[in-house]
Amino acid sequence: MSMISYPLRVFFDCSTAHLSEASSTYLNVHADQGDELVAATPYGWFIWVGEGDRDHLPADLVGITQYARRLGAEYILFDRDAPEDEALATFLDRATALPGSRRARPGGE
């Protein structure tokens, strides 16, 4: 049996509790705009962890992306059910920082 070589990518499974309200709003806005680097899921977001300009990101999201890169991840899956990481600050409860959450959306939609 021959092995087919596929490119595998590493993602960091991160609790949505580590996102500030500003970061939740940022991710919602970019997912709603169809940003190819942010995708909303029913339980959080999936983002690419680039090494480029981070000046436009909320500070906590910058810290999480840098942490993920140090771990060797290329992507982050922000998931309500992911375990919390002691190395990261906790801002919101897991259910509050979700796509569709009233608190996570600008204007409380």
Side-chain angles (χ1 to χ4, degrees):
M1 180 174 175
S2 66
M3 294 287 292
I4 299 174
S5 177
Y6 293 99
L8 298 177
R9 309 250 183 215
V10 175
F11 73 90
F12 173 45
D13 195 17
C14 186
S15 173
T16 56
H18 296 301
L19 294 169
S20 67
E21 187 171 350
S23 289
S24 296
T25 299
Y26 174 89
L27 293 171
N28 276 328
V29 167
H30 284 271
D32 288 349
Q33 291 174 349
D35 186 331
E36 67 277 1
L37 305 178
V38 179
T41 73
Y43 304 105
W45 299 269
F46 188 72
I47 69 169
W48 178 65
V49 181
E51 293 182 357
D53 179 26
R54 292 187 173 102
D55 291 342
H56 60 286
L57 297 176
D60 60 293
L61 193 51
V62 170
I64 296 169
T65 59
Q66 290 172 340
Y67 181 67
R69 290 298 288 179
R70 283 194 305 274
L71 294 174
E74 296 180 64
Y75 298 90
I76 300 172
L77 175 62
F78 287 106
D79 189 321
R80 167 183 78 185
D81 299 321
E84 292 179 18
D85 190 311
E86 291 180 5
L88 299 172
T90 301
F91 293 92
L92 303 172
D93 92 12
R94 295 166 189 260
T96 303
L98 290 176
S101 165
R102 299 186 81 180
R103 184 171 176 189
R105 292 220 176 244
E109 296 173 347

